[in-house]
Amino acid sequence: MPYLLGPSIGFGLVTASILALAAVGFTMQFGVTNILNLAYGEVMATSGFVALIVNRAGLSIWFGMAAAAVFGAALSYLLNRVIFIPFARRGTKLFGMVIVTIAVGLILENSILAITGPNFFSYIVPQESTYSVGFLILTTSQIVLMGLATLAMIAVHSLLRLTRLGMAMRATASDASLARGCGIRTERIVDAGWLISGAMCGIAGVALFINTTSFTSATANSFLVVIVAAAILGGVGQPYGAMLGALVIGLTSEIAAAFLNPAYKNVVAFVILVVVLLLRPQGILAQIAVQREIAR
Amino acid sequence: MPTSSVESTQRPAAHLEVRDFTAGYGRIPIVSSINLDVGEGEVVAIVGPNGAGKSTLLKAIVGVIPSLGGSIRLRGDIVTNLSTDDLVRRGIGYVPQSHDVFDTLTVEENMRIGGYLLAKPEAEARMARILDTFPTLRPLIRRIAHKLSGGERKLVAIARVMMLQPSLYVLDEPTSNLSVELAHKLLTDYVRRIASTGAAVLLVEQKAKAALEVSNWAYLMVAGAISMSSPAAMLLADESIAHRFLGKVTAGSSSAPPGGTGPDSTLPEAPAV
Amino acid sequence: MSSAFQFYVTTLLIYAGVDILAAWGLNLQFGTAGLLSFAFIVFQAAGAYTAGVLALGPQTDNGGYQHYIGGYALPFPIPILAAMAVGAVIAVPIGLIALRRLRSDYQAVALLVVSIIASSIATNETELFNGAAGISLVPHPLADQFGGDLLTYQWFYVGFTAAVCLVAYLIVHRVTHSPLGRAFRAMRDNEQAASALAKDITGLRLLAFAIGGALGALSGAILVLFIGTWAPSAWLYPETFVLLAAIIVGGTNNSLGTVVGVLLVPIGFAEGSRFLPEIGHPGLIDAGQWIAIGLMLLIFLWFRPQGILPERKHRYANDGRLVTVLDELAGWLRRSLALIQRSSR
């Protein structure tokens, strides 16, 4: 048994790391702006393909990841400014906004498909060495991804707990109108939220593509539901909840893949989600269910 | 409706001047042609029947909803249609009727966010001072605001606004979720205490009698317009007006439950200052 | 008409009927009751599988090359009725998972997840519905009556689909114009107000879900009995978005608007692109179609969020009678006549 459990925990931790990067970004975006952005997977994908271009130009994939972070931040910021905020001003509610984000996602994903065709792509990743850490056996890039996710989580924690911006973000996430009543310029905080979460989205896209080794224009979108599941599991808009959700889903899905049927990898995670929704609709960590309007 | 104004009483220099002001939701005006002053250090009450547009007027003054016409001056500067965060930076402290605390955050975090515009040492000092003023907040400091009682919530909301030491407090029905006894305490004790710091107070109240008792000046609002402007005491004394527009003036105090221990009886005892 | 062209037209008409049925079902859930039903395609799938395995003979038929539960070779119209029943029944567990106390966009995601779970199970549990390959060789209902005259059968099936659509329209009309329909709209427009009126919100949601689910299942049954096959690739979750786009474009909560939307979005696009020359790499036209659907959604949500045919506000006369289109037309005529009289004086 340990010979199966060890690797699956290793895979689980790597998946959880990627998931944490993506889900924390997703949930921060949602928490601050109150827009459930179902185009998030496609922003991951576009950023991942930007990294591919950088990578193909002969630079290391880690440079590509930096480029993807910048691109993801810029694209998210622009999507909000050019599309989401105008729609919100025009009176589109939570409801309609989900459909707006789906439409944006369809356009993004299929634009990539139109350019790349239904082909598989891979990054050029330097020769991998393997290391055994206890009962885990991990490759270089897996270790880097896990370290990166850990760093990102520490950074998010410090941002939210220790900085003024973080305080303003939490206030805006809690009640944007009241935050304005404390002198917080919420529109700037919302911009910051899109930029930060967009950067995490870009990094997560590249991390996902490194880990899946070969990818298409649709790879990230099929991962989106897992991301959203992790975010909801912990309580949407709760960064710590998303970390916990990522860990739970990452580990269970890989262990399920090893012991049950690899095809049910995600189904097990989803079943956990459904059970949580039944017992605790607001998510594991959320104190109360959020009920707010779109922040701008 | 005849607009009777009593201008015999001397009022302090205007801190807030609202002139010919119109506001509403969308393009539809709810309140129109409003003229209203709040003098330096004055407590001003807006009273009137339900649905008169009192809260709408306050929301428009503090920039939560856009105005449709007219002007607002704060200490002489035109501030019409500035956003709420700008008005807060200019010294307005607004306590909404509901959604008045950050539900998902602790009391301490609520107060820290209240002091968002301050340098950290200054914020710490003010928080300590406010906790000295309201010592009953101390044991609640780590509690999530959503678990507070109605009275505790309102106190946190006021304490949060006090962090910036505004020169004008705008209170929208501060007693709406409180028992009559607590409401009375909030108005007579806390509002007076705020006024004693030299700040002006503009409040909207359903519990008209209690509000008028603590106010210097009062406006009677009926159907989206100011129909009377007079010293609060005068409005309070006028039986016919009380009867016609403020059905609750006398009903308010008589509807107090025996002993007054409603669910919100946790509003802290006011300490001696 | 050449027979090839007749085949093409009849097939198109049947597809249109199926899409209209499905869109009406979704419209009842989304447009009328305000449920962001992202798992809608599951109802169609459930209907198709149910009708399929009930109409099929035992799985040992045809050399036993496919595996499925059921296989009772039940006669028409039992498979279709059973499909509708299944559609209504599975609305309950799905609704209970997703609709309890969740805000609308969470519901959407929870239902998206349900759609994906259902599709993974159908793909991986090959004993249920033959896995990824799907069921095939589902017999055509009443085909033996036509003695192998395929073209006549095609026209017969068009007529049958049209009749089903008519009945479905009457049902939808009946529901939306009843007090129940009013309760659905009240729930959609203001949940708090509706629950203040002591309406059982969960019950209402489940009911809207069940009625819409039965219609969705009906559409699946009609489709599978016509094309004879059904596989997971036919009901991936984006298919729900296509129907949703049709509703938004045509007019939310307007049955005729939904028809217009279906004719424009799924039918118009699929058929419009058929005549495009094969350009670029395979999948380019597909991608273009999806981009167009996305753009169309944005354009409509921006310029005409109410759709081509907006929802008609139900008005009631002083005697409590519903004001119909005829009344409005009469009133308009009266006013116009009065205007003419006045201006000629």
Side-chain angles (χ1 to χ4, degrees):
Chain A
M1 159 140 161
Y3 75 94
L4 254 182
L5 193 62
S8 58
I9 287 179
F11 283 134
L13 288 175
V14 176
T15 307
S17 304
I18 298 163
L19 207 47
L21 282 168
V24 170
F26 180 87
T27 216
M28 274 172 78
Q29 206 165 80
F30 179 81
V32 175
T33 66
N34 220 18
I35 293 173
L36 195 76
N37 178 16
L38 293 187
Y40 192 82
E42 281 84 4
V43 176
M44 277 173 77
T46 6
S47 311
F49 276 93
V50 166
L52 181 70
I53 297 169
V54 173
N55 189 224
R56 289 263 172 101
L59 289 169
S60 144
I61 187 55
W62 307 112
F63 279 109
M65 187 181 263
V70 173
F71 178 84
L75 180 60
S76 301
Y77 175 83
L78 283 178
L79 284 180
N80 183 49
R81 280 282 164 148
V82 176
I83 297 176
F84 301 146
I85 285 188
F87 268 103
R89 291 226 170 99
R90 233 177 142 84
T92 308
K93 299 271 179 253
L94 299 170
F95 211 71
M97 207 48 113
V98 175
I99 296 171
V100 170
T101 65
I102 288 173
V104 168
L106 284 177
I107 294 170
L108 281 178
E109 179 182 342
N110 288 286
S111 300
I112 309 175
L113 177 62
I115 296 167
T116 65
N119 299 313
F120 283 90
F121 298 89
S122 306
Y123 295 137
I124 302 156
V125 179
Q127 191 62 46
E128 301 262 22
S129 336
T130 50
Y131 304 89
S132 59
V133 188
F135 58 93
L136 306 175
I137 298 160
L138 298 165
T139 66
T140 321
S141 59
Q142 283 177 327
I143 291 171
V144 173
L145 289 183
M146 284 165 67
L148 200 67
T150 313
L151 276 181
M153 294 308 111
I154 294 170
V156 167
H157 171 79
S158 317
L159 170 75
L160 290 178
R161 292 285 154 180
L162 305 177
T163 67
R164 243 168 81 85
L165 174 62
M167 182 158 85
M169 285 175 80
R170 292 200 300 143
T172 308
S174 182
D175 188 331
S177 169
L178 202 58
R180 276 191 290 278
C182 298
I184 296 171
R185 300 205 193 281
T186 49
E187 69 276 21
R188 291 192 194 164
I189 304 304
V190 167
D191 283 346
W194 283 97
L195 285 170
I196 294 169
S197 64
M200 294 188 73
C201 176
I203 294 172
V206 178
L208 176 71
F209 287 175
I210 291 176
N211 199 45
T212 49
T213 63
S214 72
F215 52 90
T216 71
S217 56
T219 305
N221 193 29
S222 55
F223 195 60
L224 175 69
V225 183
V226 191
I227 296 167
V228 179
I232 291 192
L233 192 59
V236 185
Q238 307 274 322
Y240 302 103
M243 293 177 201
L244 186 66
L247 205 59
V248 170
I249 289 194
L251 284 174
T252 49
S253 57
E254 294 299 342
I255 292 172
F259 288 93
L260 294 169
N261 173 351
Y264 278 148
K265 195 166 142 168
N266 291 337
V267 171
V268 173
F270 293 157
V271 169
I272 295 175
L273 173 68
V274 166
V275 171
V276 169
L277 283 178
L278 279 175
L279 299 179
R280 213 177 145 75
Q282 74 273 41
I284 300 173
L285 283 195
Q287 292 278 349
I288 46 172
V290 260
Q291 187 80 51
R292 294 170 293 124
E293 286 306 318
I294 291 162
R296 34 182 161 114
Chain B
M1 199 169 297
T3 301
S4 52
S5 286
V6 185
E7 299 295 350
S8 56
T9 319
Q10 268 302 325
R11 295 187 68 181
H15 187 84
L16 178 81
E17 292 169 84
V18 179
R19 289 291 171 271
D20 204 25
F21 190 67
T22 300
Y25 295 92
R27 297 259 135 247
I28 305 144
I30 308 270
V31 296
S32 49
S33 308
I34 301 290
N35 288 296
L36 176 151
D37 282 357
V38 180
E40 299 285 353
E42 243 186 350
V43 179
V44 173
I46 306 174
V47 294
N50 253 332
K54 305 186 295 289
S55 287
T56 308
L57 175 60
L58 281 201
K59 282 183 188 155
I61 289 175
V62 300
V64 171
I65 59 173
S67 74
L68 302 174
S71 70
I72 302 176
R73 282 169 186 269
L74 190 68
R75 288 183 180 133
D77 300 335
I78 292 180
V79 296
T80 324
N81 272 340
L82 285 191
S83 62
T84 310
D85 49 272
D86 275 327
L87 291 171
V88 169
R89 285 160 200 258
R90 286 164 179 261
I92 288 186
Y94 171 54
V95 179
Q97 181 181 354
S98 55
H99 300 289
D100 50 352
V101 296
F102 293 102
D103 261 326
T104 54
L105 305 179
T106 65
V107 171
E108 185 180 6
E109 287 168 332
N110 265 277
M111 292 182 68
R112 274 187 210 289
I113 293 167
Y116 173 76
L117 295 177
L118 305 172
K120 200 162 180 180
E122 180 61 25
E124 294 297 320
R126 286 197 194 172
M127 191 146 94
R129 227 175 302 147
I130 292 170
L131 289 177
D132 285 341
T133 318
F134 300 121
T136 36
L137 276 179
R138 272 232 165 82
L140 305 174
I141 203 88
R142 303 230 173 270
R143 193 165 303 174
I144 297 282
H146 129 84
K147 293 193 170 154
L148 298 176
S149 73
E152 289 165 347
R153 276 178 77 97
K154 199 48 90 177
L155 188 62
V156 171
I158 291 174
R160 192 196 67 243
V161 166
M162 285 174 84
M163 287 292 288
L164 290 181
Q165 297 181 347
S167 56
L168 172 65
Y169 286 79
V170 179
L171 311 179
D172 191 355
E173 302 216 9
T175 68
S176 63
N177 292 318
L178 308 185
S179 72
V180 171
E181 195 171 72
L182 284 165
H184 189 73
K185 182 181 289 168
L186 187 141
L187 286 173
T188 53
D189 190 10
Y190 296 166
V191 169
R192 270 195 190 131
R193 212 125 32 101
I194 289 169
S196 73
T197 63
V201 179
L202 173 62
L203 80 155
V204 152
E205 254 309 325
Q206 279 295 323
K207 299 187 174 73
K209 181 171 185 249
L212 291 174
E213 278 169 356
V214 296
S215 303
N216 307 103
W217 200 266
Y219 292 91
L220 174 64
M221 206 170 164
V222 179
I226 300 280
S227 70
M228 194 175 167
S229 162
S230 81
M234 212 179 250
L235 194 61
L236 194 57
D238 192 327
E239 286 287 333
S240 71
I241 287 173
H243 205 75
R244 265 165 63 204
F245 300 114
L246 310 173
K248 283 190 164 179
V249 164
T250 42
S253 39
S254 63
S255 69
T261 42
D264 298 317
S265 59
T266 45
L267 191 70
E269 286 297 317
V273 179
Chain C
M1 275 197 284
S2 75
S3 64
F5 186 63
Q6 282 195 47
F7 262 106
Y8 172 66
V9 168
T10 46
T11 306
L12 204 59
L13 285 173
I14 291 163
Y15 278 172
V18 167
D19 282 340
I20 287 168
L21 283 174
W24 278 341
L26 179 57
N27 188 34
L28 203 68
Q29 298 178 348
F30 166 70
T32 311
L35 305 169
L36 212 45
S37 177
F38 279 8
F40 185 77
I41 209 67
V42 173
F43 293 112
Q44 189 177 52
Y49 281 129
T50 307
V53 298
L54 291 183
L56 275 164
Q59 55 174 336
T60 47
D61 281 6
N62 300 307
Y65 85 100
Q66 50 178 350
H67 297 276
Y68 47 83
I69 54 169
Y72 303 121
L74 293 176
F76 176 83
I78 296 173
I80 294 178
L81 297 177
M84 289 181 76
V86 168
V89 167
I90 63 163
V92 176
I94 294 180
L96 279 181
I97 289 169
L99 304 181
R100 271 186 0 146
R101 289 185 294 161
L102 291 183
R103 48 179 257 178
S104 62
D105 41 10
Y106 281 35
Q107 286 171 16
V109 171
L111 288 169
L112 205 62
V113 164
V114 166
S115 189
I116 294 169
I117 294 179
S119 150
S120 322
I121 290 175
T123 308
N124 293 301
E125 294 301 312
T126 46
E127 295 301 312
L128 277 178
F129 305 113
N130 205 36
I135 52 171
S136 50
L137 299 177
V138 179
H140 296 301
L142 308 176
D144 44 349
Q145 309 288 321
F146 292 84
D149 181 355
L150 287 180
L151 197 55
T152 315
Y153 185 76
Q154 289 271 69
W155 281 109
F156 156 74
Y157 210 85
V158 169
F160 169 64
T161 309
V164 170
C165 283
L166 188 68
V167 173
Y169 177 77
L170 293 177
I171 293 173
V172 168
H173 189 81
R174 194 62 197 256
V175 169
T176 48
H177 288 73
S178 69
L180 181 64
R182 220 176 313 153
F184 284 159
R185 286 191 296 276
M187 173 172 76
R188 175 196 65 186
D189 294 337
N190 191 340
E191 189 173 305
Q192 265 122 30
S195 63
L197 292 170
K199 303 236 192 271
D200 172 13
I201 293 291
T202 306
L204 270 181
R205 283 174 165 176
L206 285 182
L207 200 56
F209 231 52
I211 302 173
L215 277 173
L218 175 64
S219 76
I222 304 273
L223 184 58
V224 78
L225 294 179
F226 175 65
I227 57 176
T229 65
W230 192 251
S233 60
W235 53 284
L236 297 174
Y237 70 86
E239 298 296 328
T240 306
F241 298 158
V242 177
L243 290 174
L244 210 55
I247 290 172
I248 289 171
V249 167
T252 309
N253 194 26
N254 181 323
S255 302
L256 295 179
T258 303
V259 174
V260 173
V262 164
L263 294 181
L264 279 176
V265 182
I267 299 299
F269 271 98
E271 292 318 306
S273 62
R274 183 186 292 249
F275 300 105
L276 288 178
E278 192 64 45
I279 42 163
H281 54 76
L284 183 61
I285 289 180
D286 243 22
Q289 248 179 53
W290 281 108
I291 292 173
I293 288 180
L295 283 174
M296 200 143 110
L297 271 174
L298 287 185
I299 289 168
F300 266 88
L301 285 172
W302 183 265
F303 291 106
R304 207 171 161 79
Q306 70 275 41
I308 294 172
L309 296 179
E311 174 176 8
R312 278 207 308 275
K313 292 279 166 280
H314 295 274
R315 296 195 296 122
Y316 294 88
N318 290 335
D319 55 2
R321 209 168 40 87
L322 185 68
V323 177
T324 63
V325 186
L326 282 180
D327 295 320
E328 296 196 14
L329 215 63
W332 178 80
L333 234 124
R334 241 192 337 268
R335 282 193 299 278
S336 316
L337 283 176
L339 207 71
I340 293 165
Q341 276 174 357
R342 219 176 310 147
S343 57
S344 60
R345 215 180 297 147

